[in-house]
Each structure stands twice: as C-alpha cells, then as structure tokens.
Amino acid sequence: MTARLARTVCSLAAVVMTAACASYYEVPIETPIRPKLDVSAFQRVLVAGFIAGGSDDVDGNLETTRLLRSQLRTKSELRVIDVDVLPLMDVALEGREANGGDRQAPPAAIKEDADLEAYEHVFAKVEYWKRIGEEHQQPLIVTGTVMFAPQARSGIVQRDQEIYDSFGRRRVVPVRTYMERKGFVLKPRFVFIDGRTGAVLHSENFREEILYNVNQTTPALSSYFELMDRLIPSFLSTLSSQRIRGTRILLQ
C-alpha cells in the first residue's frame, strides 16, 4: 500500500514538473463570417444618399454617403459608382403632392424619429428605384435614413477612482456618483435595394451613442465619425465576408 502511494505521488510530481517546464506560444487565427446578403449577382454598388435629420452641425446625408463609399472602395469587391446624391426628400414629397399636398410647402425640418416616418415611403417606390438602377447598369443600391442628434442625460454613474493608503499603496475602487452628461446619438437605417427590380432586399437598423462630461466640448462632426467607426464593421458584414482575428495559446 505504501509503495503504491509512493508511485502515485511520484507520478503526480512528474506531471507537475513537466507542466512547469513546458512552454506556451500563441498562434494567430482567423474566423470567417459569411455576409448577411448575397451580392454575387451585382458588380457595382450605388450609395444613393440618405434622408437625414437631427443636428444642424452635421449633414448626415452627405457625410454618410461619402464615408460608406470610401469604405466600400477599400473593403468590398463591388465597384463603387460616384454620382451626386439623390434628392430623396424631394422624391418623397412628389408622392405627397400627387395625393393633393401643398406644392409650395417646403420640406419639414427633421428633428425627431417620428419626423422620418413621413418620408420612409420613398424606399417602397419600386418604379423609381428600378429607373435609377437602369441608369447605372443595375447596381446594388444602398440608401436609408440617418438620425444624428444631441442628447443629455443625468443620473448615477460608476467610475473608477484611485486611492492611496497610509503606506502609499495605490488601489482603484469603483465609486458611484451623480453626474450630468451630454453627447450624441446616431441611429441609421440602411436599406439595400435591387437595382434590377427596384425591390428592397434587406434593411437593418443600428444605434450608437456617446456621452461626455457636461463641461467637455466636443465637435459634433468628431462625435459622428467616432460613432460611425463603431458600426462600419457591421455594415460591411452585410455585403462581404469578414474575418475576425484572434490568437490561440498552444502548449509546446
């Protein structure tokens, strides 16, 4: 019995020593993610423009169009068509005029999400989008709405605070405190339309927000680009396969 116990202890010791002497190394890996939308039938993509509202400091229509075209040029196999943005608000109002609306009434300022609802029917105008597709060799059309607006929020938030004890040792502890913050919220809706038929293939909503200390001054355009950077990977994953890079630890 004693001999058997001794052999067991020696075996365990050998395993522990082997593990202690072993070395580890990291191996880079890539995980492919299939696109949400099959775009194999298209060779071109037209970012047509957006119905935008919210802050007057950022033109959500032009900025979003330019940014998405730039991203698609470098990260998509589709050829990007460079044309002027479409006057989507005017196109939406044409439908309202045909139903007896006031021809002299200017487009209403879009300040809230509810204001967008009066214009969203433009994405269902199949004949209009089919004609746009014929003019540009039947591409995949990207359009939608963009709401970029300021926001303010106050309440209890948790933040890390450094403290030092009597021996000068540093610790970081969570502290709950009341704070007033301001920032911006970005809520785009991307609509993908088949330029051959004018029909909507897919649409997707996103929401990102950022908040700063109430005393901090941050330009609206800087906040817009920071928020767009967060959702661009999700937008691109709709059209093309993406790869998530990581590492795996192996025992040598």
Side-chain angles (χ1 to χ4, degrees):
M1 185 69 178
T2 304
R4 182 181 301 174
L5 180 60
R7 287 196 298 269
T8 302
V9 172
C10 291
S11 299
L12 290 174
V15 171
V16 172
M17 292 180 64
T18 301
C21 296
S23 60
Y24 299 86
Y25 63 98
E26 293 185 352
V27 176
I29 60 173
E30 290 186 349
T31 303
I33 300 178
R34 297 180 60 183
K36 303 174 186 176
L37 189 63
D38 182 8
V39 297
S40 58
F42 302 97
Q43 296 180 343
R44 298 172 178 81
V45 59
L46 169 63
V47 183
F50 298 84
I51 295 178
S55 173
D56 295 330
D57 297 327
V58 174
D59 188 331
N61 178 19
L62 291 178
E63 296 297 347
T64 304
T65 301
R66 292 169 182 165
L67 181 58
L68 294 188
R69 287 179 180 178
S70 174
Q71 291 291 320
L72 289 170
R73 285 191 193 98
T74 58
K75 299 178 181 178
S76 171
E77 296 180 357
L78 298 173
R79 178 183 174 186
V80 179
I81 300 173
D82 281 317
V83 294
D84 293 337
V85 295
L86 299 178
L88 295 182
M89 292 186 67
D90 293 340
V91 174
L93 289 175
E94 288 174 2
R96 189 163 59 183
E97 291 169 359
N99 293 326
D102 184 358
R103 290 180 177 272
Q104 303 301 319
I110 300 175
K111 295 297 183 182
E112 300 177 354
D113 294 340
D115 298 332
L116 289 171
E117 296 178 0
Y119 299 92
E120 289 193 347
H121 68 276
V122 71
F123 307 122
K125 296 171 72 72
V126 174
E127 292 302 321
Y128 171 77
W129 293 110
K130 185 177 180 180
R131 177 168 58 82
I132 295 298
E134 291 172 350
E135 293 175 358
H136 299 285
Q137 301 180 3
Q138 300 178 331
L140 174 68
I141 301 173
V142 181
T143 182
T145 62
V146 176
M147 177 63 71
F148 176 72
Q151 66 171 347
R153 188 179 301 171
S154 60
I156 302 298
V157 298
Q158 181 172 301
R159 60 185 180 86
D160 293 335
Q161 179 176 326
E162 294 182 351
I163 63 172
Y164 295 87
D165 60 18
S166 57
F167 297 99
R169 292 175 297 193
R170 172 182 171 274
R171 283 196 305 150
V172 177
V173 297
V175 176
R176 294 174 60 85
T177 182
Y178 177 84
M179 183 179 295
E180 293 184 357
R181 296 180 294 171
K182 63 178 182 179
F184 296 91
V185 58
L186 175 64
K187 292 179 284 187
R189 177 190 175 213
F190 298 126
V191 180
F192 302 87
I193 296 176
D194 189 335
R196 301 167 299 178
T197 64
V200 174
L201 296 174
H202 178 72
S203 67
E204 194 163 356
N205 295 288
F206 296 91
R207 187 183 193 280
E208 293 287 347
E209 67 175 33
I210 190 168
L211 293 168
Y212 309 99
N213 187 292
V214 70
N215 297 320
Q216 181 177 342
T217 302
T218 303
L221 189 59
S222 297
S223 297
Y224 165 83
F225 282 119
E226 183 173 350
L227 294 174
M228 283 296 294
D229 282 344
R230 298 180 186 177
L231 59 85
I232 281 293
S234 297
F235 167 79
L236 293 174
S237 68
T238 304
L239 302 177
S240 58
S241 59
Q242 303 293 311
R243 293 183 178 274
I244 298 179
R245 293 181 173 84
T247 58
R248 179 174 295 172
I249 298 177
L250 299 180
L251 177 64
Q252 189 174 19

